[in-house]
Amino acid sequence: MTIIAACVITLKKSPTYRLAKDGTLPIWSGFGMAGTDALGITAFKSLAEELDALHLGEGDALNVVGTINLETWTGKDGIERSGLKIVASKAEAITPPTPKRRASSPRRSDEPAPPTPPTSAYDDFDDPLPEHWGQP
């Protein structure tokens, strides 16, 4: 059975980029969180090269679409483990979502402050004319 998944993943460590043993297949892999679930991410070929060119690191977020699998392996300590892995068919870097604010915290406007007009030596239009200019 194939399960297609789409999720936002926040990287928990810097991803790796390498070539397969024969040197022909680019492979990009990362590890992150999608909500409360840990996910391994793998991309191949041109998508791997595109993701590597982004120079992503810990804390960066990706929008990922791909097939998701449950993988099992034996750790260095001899204990069998399992985890979710998504093989990406599409991926793009995004700005991570901002945490929700508590209702009791005051809301700040996201609009920038209005610009202040520049000061100039020639903007004194309301001042009286100097005496040496004479009066009309």
Side-chain angles (χ1 to χ4, degrees):
M1 174 188 341
T2 301
I3 299 173
I4 305 295
C7 54
V8 174
I9 297 172
T10 303
L11 295 174
K12 293 300 173 191
K13 60 182 182 177
S14 294
T16 60
Y17 176 80
R18 63 185 173 84
L19 294 176
K21 290 180 182 178
D22 65 2
T24 60
L25 180 65
I27 303 169
W28 182 94
S29 59
F31 176 78
M33 299 296 288
T36 58
D37 298 318
L39 283 173
I41 315 146
T42 302
F44 299 100
K45 301 180 182 177
S46 60
L47 183 56
E49 292 171 344
E50 291 172 21
L51 290 171
D52 184 56
L54 295 174
H55 303 290
L56 298 169
E58 182 178 342
D60 289 330
L62 296 168
N63 185 12
V64 179
V65 176
T67 56
I68 195 162
N69 304 305
L70 179 62
E71 292 200 343
T72 58
W73 67 93
T74 303
K76 293 179 182 179
D77 55 5
I79 297 175
E80 190 170 299
R81 293 182 168 39
S82 62
L84 295 173
K85 178 180 177 182
I86 188 166
V87 177
S89 57
K90 295 180 185 178
E92 63 182 350
I94 60 170
T95 303
T98 56
K100 293 181 182 178
R101 295 183 182 153
R102 294 182 183 195
S104 63
S105 66
R107 293 188 66 113
R108 293 187 295 166
S109 172
D110 291 335
E111 295 181 27
T116 56
T119 57
S120 170
Y122 302 106
D123 66 355
D124 300 330
F125 297 114
D126 295 333
D127 294 344
L129 292 174
E131 290 183 88
H132 67 277
W133 283 11
Q135 297 293 330

